[in-house]
Amino acid sequence: MKKTILITGGAGFIGSHVVRLFVNKYPDYQILNLDNLTYAGNLENLKDIENKPNYSFIKADIVDADKMNEIFTNYPIDSVIHLAAESHVDRSISNPLDFIMTNVVGTVNLLNAAKTAWKDNFNDKLFYHVSTDEVYGSLGETGLFLETTPYDPRSPYSASKASSDQFVRAYENTYGLPIVISNCSNNYGANQFPEKLIPLFINNIKNKKPLPIYGDGKYTRDWLWVEDHAKAIDLIFHRGKLGETYNIGGFNEWQNIDLIKALCKLMDDKLNQPQGTSETLITYIKDRPGHDKRYAIDATKLNQELGWSPSLQFEEGLSKTIDWYLSNEEWLNNVTSGNYQNYYITQYETI
Ligand code: NAD
Ligand code: DAU
């Protein structure tokens, strides 16, 4: 069946993997990648597929409501996979309003544009909203986030994502818009902007710069290979039940300090330097305000209903990720020049 799918945020980290998967796997689908190319958006991420006949790029800001309506008028869009967002918790602490604008207002603009263009005839239409496990708040030592866990967002980022999720559900309840939502844990892999823990630390080790660990480093995250997230999105898009929420996670919890030590060991190997060299860069710094202690996803529903499970062991994924960053020096240099330097100085001014 032919489809025209608007993928928002397709020039970003996860979005670029989703766009690549759909463009390559579904030559009959037209894939429209809508992205405003903020600091986190990078068309270099999609060089390998940019000339495919079923791919087009649209530069636009989802905060611009008129533009969203125009795009839905100009293209026969029947589905949306919405990933565009401000995504970094630390930046949300410095600039919450940017997160409200893109994540909340931008999402509502897209919902309105889809609803208007589809003229309340929702046959074969779908609005798929990609969200995060952070909406569920912070776990103690035990327990896992289920799809039924009450929302308890605790940072401006997670509050903006929780709000966008609820607007998506409200549009289903009020107008009957066909929607599906997934909430995923921490992703890692190629093309992640080096403000997030893993690529930041790879880049710093490479440049022999301090590794800034917030607080005591005993915060826990559940890590998932980004291509496994893209595969889950593909499954949910095609086979997920309308109106449902699916949790996606790696069944792969790590305390930050343990993860960083494992990363340091791998980096020492890859850089042919004595074991222990990278660990000397570890530097404990002031904690992130409101730092969530632990996230961990129960992805049983997705596994049992749609047969999804992560394909890659973490050590293998981490090794592949390091290899990607070490062999894509130009990409890394391009994204860490210019404004990145100002961000870095402000964020890590004490080290
Ligand atoms: P990212 O920051 O790497 O990419 C975001 C993309 O959105 C960029 O290409 C950026 O240019 C674009 N964008 C931002 N504001 C825009 C606007 N106003 N208009 C149009 N485009 C805009 O983010 P990511 O890590 O790839 O995350 C993608 C989505 O997945 C987000 O919705 C995020 O909340 C969610 N998510 C991320 C993770 C993770 O671990 N990274 C985990 C779960 C869910
Ligand atoms: O859980 C899903 C979320 O994961 C996504 O929704 C977000 O978009 C994504 O950014 C990520 O959020 P985190 O805050 O968990 O990711 P980050 O890489 O920023 O941090 C991971 C952990 O590492 C967290 O406990 C904070 C810590 N950290 C992070 C940085 C950048 C440090 O100790 N030092 C750092 O410099």
Side-chain angles (χ1 to χ4, degrees):
M1 196 172 107
K2 291 192 188 306
K3 282 184 181 296
T4 302
I5 308 175
L6 183 73
I7 301 185
T8 71
F13 167 48
I14 301 169
S16 61
H17 289 276
V18 174
V19 166
R20 176 176 300 99
L21 187 153
F22 274 72
V23 165
N24 286 332
K25 187 169 171 187
Y26 302 107
D28 283 349
Y29 293 0
Q30 280 302 316
I31 304 301
L32 308 173
N33 171 14
L34 185 163
D35 199 297
N36 200 28
L37 302 181
T38 69
Y39 77 93
N42 187 350
L43 289 176
E44 289 292 308
N45 295 347
L46 292 165
K47 273 262 164 260
D48 55 323
I49 56 109
E50 68 183 5
N51 293 323
K52 297 257 179 171
N54 63 336
Y55 170 76
S56 326
F57 174 67
I58 305 167
K59 183 174 180 335
D61 185 345
I62 60 171
V63 176
D64 182 343
D66 291 342
K67 187 77 188 169
M68 292 309 105
N69 287 323
E70 186 189 311
I71 290 166
F72 272 81
T73 306
N74 291 347
Y75 298 91
I77 296 164
D78 45 50
S79 321
V80 177
I81 304 178
H82 175 37
L83 295 109
E86 287 293 337
S87 68
H88 192 37
V89 173
D90 292 327
R91 290 186 194 250
S92 83
I93 294 166
S94 327
N95 290 306
L97 203 52
D98 291 351
F99 286 67
I100 297 165
M101 293 312 292
T102 288
N103 298 0
V104 185
V105 177
T107 299
V108 174
N109 284 341
L110 282 166
L111 288 165
N112 282 335
K115 176 183 168 303
T116 305
W118 295 340
K119 297 189 172 53
D120 298 327
N121 174 2
F122 297 137
N123 283 342
D124 296 323
K125 306 289 193 295
L126 180 64
F127 192 104
Y128 182 161
H129 179 61
V130 175
S131 192
T132 171
D133 60 359
E134 300 202 10
V135 298
Y136 298 122
S138 180
L139 291 163
E141 299 282 304
T142 57
L144 298 169
F145 295 135
L146 292 163
E147 286 80 359
T148 49
T149 301
Y151 275 26
D152 181 24
R154 294 155 42 91
S155 73
Y157 165 68
S158 53
S160 69
K161 290 296 292 186
S163 173
S164 66
D165 293 10
Q166 302 297 38
F167 270 105
V168 173
R169 293 195 177 97
Y171 271 61
E172 190 216 17
N173 182 60
T174 310
Y175 309 110
L177 194 78
I179 64 113
V180 70
I181 299 178
S182 58
N183 295 81
C184 189
S185 65
N186 287 62
N187 285 216
Y188 72 97
N191 305 98
Q192 188 170 29
F193 192 79
E195 62 188 351
K196 308 280 166 60
L197 183 74
I198 290 179
L200 173 75
F201 279 33
I202 294 173
N203 190 36
N204 282 14
I205 293 172
K206 190 169 155 274
N207 294 311
K208 305 200 178 331
K209 285 168 70 174
L211 304 178
I213 298 196
Y214 296 152
D216 62 5
K218 292 189 176 156
Y219 294 86
T220 300
R221 298 290 183 266
D222 168 4
W223 294 92
L224 178 69
W225 173 242
V226 63
E227 293 183 28
D228 281 330
H229 187 184
K231 285 180 195 158
I233 289 174
D234 177 16
L235 263 183
I236 295 166
F237 177 83
H238 287 98
R239 293 182 31 219
K241 283 199 204 117
L242 289 184
E244 291 286 311
T245 295
Y246 294 89
N247 280 353
I248 311 172
F251 299 102
N252 178 43
E253 290 184 51
W254 285 74
Q255 277 197 352
N256 292 341
I257 185 63
D258 296 334
L259 188 162
I260 293 318
K261 285 184 175 167
L263 181 76
C264 284
K265 286 197 176 73
L266 282 168
M267 286 295 287
D268 286 341
D269 279 346
K270 309 250 183 210
L271 297 173
N272 291 320
Q273 54 194 29
Q275 275 298 325
T277 309
S278 300
E279 272 196 32
T280 61
L281 299 170
I282 287 177
T283 308
Y284 289 91
I285 64 165
K286 192 158 74 64
D287 211 346
R288 172 186 278 177
H291 199 164
D292 285 338
K293 187 74 186 165
R294 177 172 162 255
Y295 306 141
I297 279 276
D298 184 339
T300 306
K301 175 177 171 181
L302 183 58
N303 174 265
Q304 290 186 346
E305 288 188 13
L306 303 184
W308 176 90
S309 54
S311 70
L312 210 61
Q313 288 298 310
F314 189 52
E315 286 75 3
E316 190 189 345
L318 206 50
S319 173
K320 283 172 86 143
T321 302
I322 295 170
D323 290 344
W324 188 86
Y325 282 94
L326 294 182
S327 54
N328 285 275
E329 208 162 47
E330 197 182 327
W331 184 96
L332 202 47
N333 290 341
N334 287 345
V335 301
T336 53
S337 58
N339 286 340
Y340 181 84
Q341 297 301 330
N342 299 332
Y343 162 78
Y344 195 90
I345 290 165
T346 313
Q347 182 63 25
Y348 299 106
E349 57 194 353
T350 55
I351 54 167

